[in-house]
Amino acid sequence: MAVSSVFKAGLFNHKVAVVTGGGTGIGKAISSDLLKLGCTVVIASRKLERLEAAADELRQSIPQSSPASVTPIVCNIRNEEEVKSLVRSVLQQYGRIDYLVNNGGGQFSSPAEHTSSKGWKAVIDTNLTGTFHCCKEVYAAWMKENGGVIVNIIADMWKGFPGMAHTGAARSAVDNLTKTLAIEWAVSGVRVNAIAPGTIVSKTAVENYKEFGPTLFKMSIPFSPAKRLGVPEEISPAVCFLLSPGASYISGATLRVDAGQSLYHSMWEIPDHSAWPQAPEGENLDTLKELLKPKL
Ligand code: ADE
């Protein structure tokens, strides 16, 4: 991993960040950039082995003589007690939490009609409730009295999320939660923002969709105005910016980092059909039929 950043060296020296899902994909890129900038980073997710391997790799992002460090802590964000214990451990070890990056989440491909209640609840629990747990606990235990910055990572769900209704609903709810917390916690000097990435490719993201992963990601390329996929390293600078003093007047905002993807086509194909309710009979319909009649 290259030790370079577009941001000022030492920008986050002596700051402490918690990054959920910090061991893979976008979370790992965020952690890497924070470390390059001198931050003390705690990466939290469910699997210890994977976290430790990521932490070993991430240590290579730390510039020489930097105060930065990376610590893996196992935490299932769905479980409120585990989140409380995570926050307690970080405060015991490092004495402060300046930044919270809610990146931990996940989903599986499934049209709404085939999504079980269990599958639905699991995705809502991780992406929405997990984010809520982390925000609430970090605020109660530190940011309420001391201020801080929260960045929530959501998704390109602006046109709905056909094929993954559960994550669309959860991410959209986090977008709204971001706005609410920005207002409720302004009194503590806490800024709360979100980032909505376009289609970002990483090893874990592709693997998440099993054998369909490579096709799914390749299929989405024509739907990006950039005509290529994004990479995690194109999300992390936006997170660093929102955490930094450069964003001191930004709160309650969601920044789309998607090369304009959310303004462009939906990937969801609707086959030709005649199931739609007929337009009401009348003058307008007659005019329309006449206008559209094939002319020889
Ligand atoms: N990343 C994905 N799912 C998670 C969970 N339940 N807890 C923490 N990080 C996660």
Side-chain angles (χ1 to χ4, degrees), residues 20-22 24 44-47 50 75-79 82 103-106 122 125-127 130:
T20 65
T24 52
S45 72
R46 280 176 306 171
K47 295 181 184 143
R50 202 145 89 161
C75 174
N76 181 354
I77 57 173
R78 292 186 199 178
N79 182 317
E82 289 190 35
N103 165 77
D125 237 21
T126 305
N127 295 286

Side-chain angles (χ1 to χ4, degrees), residues 18-89:
V18 174
V19 182
T20 65
T24 52
I26 292 174
K28 193 164 151 197
I30 295 167
S31 301
S32 172
D33 272 1
L34 291 174
L35 288 166
K36 285 174 196 167
L37 296 166
C39 203
T40 297
V41 181
V42 172
I43 54 174
S45 72
R46 280 176 306 171
K47 295 181 184 143
L48 179 63
E49 226 172 275
R50 202 145 89 161
L51 266 183
E52 280 178 340
D56 287 343
E57 199 186 313
L58 282 165
R59 281 190 191 100
Q60 294 166 30
S61 306
I62 302 176
Q64 272 183 350
S65 77
S66 163
S69 69
V70 54
T71 307
I73 298 184
V74 172
C75 174
N76 181 354
I77 57 173
R78 292 186 199 178
N79 182 317
E80 192 174 17
E81 286 312 310
E82 289 190 35
V83 172
K84 283 182 190 236
S85 157
L86 164 71
V87 171
R88 219 179 300 124
S89 303

Side-chain angles (χ1 to χ4, degrees), residues 2-294:
V3 182
S4 71
S5 168
V6 297
F7 295 96
K8 187 177 70 176
L11 178 65
F12 297 133
N13 275 0
H14 312 297
K15 299 289 187 185
V16 177
V18 174
V19 182
T20 65
T24 52
I26 292 174
K28 193 164 151 197
I30 295 167
S31 301
S32 172
D33 272 1
L34 291 174
L35 288 166
K36 285 174 196 167
L37 296 166
C39 203
T40 297
V41 181
V42 172
I43 54 174
S45 72
R46 280 176 306 171
K47 295 181 184 143
L48 179 63
E49 226 172 275
R50 202 145 89 161
L51 266 183
E52 280 178 340
D56 287 343
E57 199 186 313
L58 282 165
R59 281 190 191 100
Q60 294 166 30
S61 306
I62 302 176
Q64 272 183 350
S65 77
S66 163
S69 69
V70 54
T71 307
I73 298 184
V74 172
C75 174
N76 181 354
I77 57 173
R78 292 186 199 178
N79 182 317
E80 192 174 17
E81 286 312 310
E82 289 190 35
V83 172
K84 283 182 190 236
S85 157
L86 164 71
V87 171
R88 219 179 300 124
S89 303
V90 179
L91 289 174
Q92 261 166 18
Q93 227 172 318
Y94 298 112
R96 55 191 298 133
I97 301 176
D98 301 282
Y99 310 133
L100 168 65
V101 181
N102 286 303
N103 165 77
Q107 57 274 314
F108 55 93
S109 193
S110 170
E113 65 175 314
H114 298 131
T115 302
S116 67
S117 178
K118 185 167 171 250
W120 172 269
K121 282 181 183 150
V123 173
I124 300 290
D125 237 21
T126 305
N127 295 286
L128 175 55
T129 313
T131 295
F132 172 69
H133 287 154
C134 294
C135 289
K136 186 181 171 195
E137 195 49 34
V138 164
Y139 183 71
W142 181 261
M143 290 188 183
K144 183 174 180 175
E145 292 302 321
N146 303 283
V149 192
I150 298 175
V151 174
N152 298 321
I153 308 298
I154 55 171
D156 173 15
M157 71 323 165
W158 307 103
K159 293 194 282 284
F161 212 137
M164 288 196 264
H166 42 28
T167 212
R171 308 307 186 130
S172 198
V174 173
D175 180 55
N176 197 266
L177 176 68
T178 300
K179 299 182 209 314
T180 299
L181 300 184
I183 298 298
E184 289 192 5
W185 296 351
V187 69
S188 299
V190 174
R191 294 188 298 108
V192 189
N193 292 296
I195 300 239
T199 309
I200 303 298
V201 67
S202 70
K203 186 167 174 283
T204 34
V206 174
E207 284 170 358
N208 180 60
Y209 299 100
K210 314 264 165 44
E211 70 270 29
F212 306 109
T215 314
L216 210 65
F217 278 88
K218 271 191 269 178
M219 264 170 53
S220 77
I221 294 173
F223 296 91
S224 169
K227 301 295 175 185
R228 69 161 172 84
L229 299 169
V231 294
E233 291 74 15
E234 291 176 299
I235 302 302
S236 49
V239 177
C240 290
F241 165 65
L242 287 176
L243 294 176
S244 80
S248 57
Y249 209 59
I250 303 180
S251 196
T254 296
L255 179 58
R256 301 181 191 199
V257 185
D258 66 0
Q261 179 181 310
S262 54
L263 302 171
Y264 202 49
H265 304 281
S266 170
M267 269 182 73
W268 190 259
E269 234 183 278
I270 304 172
D272 284 341
H273 66 85
S274 53
W276 203 259
Q278 293 300 309
E281 293 292 341
E283 204 182 312
N284 282 331
L285 189 60
D286 293 344
T287 312
L288 188 67
K289 279 180 183 163
E290 189 55 37
L291 278 170
L292 300 183
K293 213 161 62 181

